[in-house]
């Protein structure tokens, strides 16, 4: 076995012992996507709070938030939203302008290209609480002391 193969096998063993590996990036779901919209003609900005699954209007745009995810507090902050944006001009059928993930830390990575409006993700709000995991009972052993007896039961 070559040295490189041995190192790779050792690292694979360490990874398997450390438990499940979580993906980097936003993974915690939220109820609201918080966006900022810019009207380039008037230079006015508007903060939009859109419920996941809901739609909001900004000028001639109709913005639908499909998901909004944040990173856990133990990782660098990041928010990402999956958005579908349509342009609804009077007398014309709605036209898709954007569909995909937008990231708060890199608004130019996936940007809406529109001559009048800019939209970007600011944050996610109202986290969905994960299902709490029941704590595993500790088995008495040499390192774990036995719990003290409970209060006496009243005979009634």
């Amino acid at each position: 076995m070559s040295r490189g193969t041995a190192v790779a096998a050792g690292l694979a063993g360490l990874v398997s012992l450390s438990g499940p590996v979580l993906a980097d990036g936003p993974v915690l779901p939220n109820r609201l996507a918080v966006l900022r919209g810019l009207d380039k003609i008037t230079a006015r900005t508007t903060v939009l709070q859109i419920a996941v699954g809901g739609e909001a209007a900004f000028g001639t745009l109709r913005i639908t938030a499909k998901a909004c995810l944040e990173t856990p507090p133990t990782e660098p902050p990041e928010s990402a939203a999956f958005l579908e944006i349509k342009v609804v001009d009077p007398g014309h059928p709605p036209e898709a302008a954007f569909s995909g993930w937008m990231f708060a830390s890199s608004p130019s990575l996936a940007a809406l290209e529109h001559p009048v409006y800019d939209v970007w993700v600011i944050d996610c709000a109202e986290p969905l609480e994960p299902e709490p995991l029941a704590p595993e009972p500790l088995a008495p052993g040499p390192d774990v002391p036995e719990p003290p007896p409970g209060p006496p039961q009243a005979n009634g």
Side-chain angles (χ1 to χ4, degrees):
M1 183 185 308
S2 73
R3 182 175 179 193
T5 307
V7 169
L11 288 174
L14 285 175
V15 169
S16 66
L17 291 176
S18 67
V21 177
L22 300 177
D24 289 343
V27 294
L28 302 176
N30 287 261
R31 288 185 177 89
L32 292 176
V34 183
L35 313 175
R36 177 163 286 138
L38 168 67
D39 183 327
K40 297 176 191 177
I41 304 298
T42 64
R44 292 190 179 164
T45 61
T46 303
V47 174
L48 305 164
Q49 292 191 357
I50 306 172
V52 170
E55 181 178 280
F58 178 64
T60 60
L61 302 180
R62 299 299 174 265
I63 305 165
T64 304
K66 297 291 187 178
C68 199
L69 305 176
E70 287 186 308
T71 53
T74 56
E75 293 185 22
E78 176 65 283
S79 298
F82 190 90
L83 304 174
E84 291 181 352
I85 303 175
K86 297 177 186 170
V87 178
V88 181
D89 287 323
H92 296 81
E95 181 181 328
F98 180 86
S99 180
W101 288 97
M102 283 190 183
F103 296 87
S105 66
S106 304
S108 63
L109 184 63
L112 168 69
E113 294 182 17
H114 190 272
V116 178
Y117 304 107
D118 273 343
V119 173
W120 62 94
V121 175
I122 299 173
D123 199 4
C124 296
E126 297 185 19
L128 294 171
E129 295 298 323
E131 292 293 323
L133 297 175
E136 293 183 24
L138 297 175
D143 296 338
V144 180
E146 294 222 15
Q153 297 291 326
N155 293 337

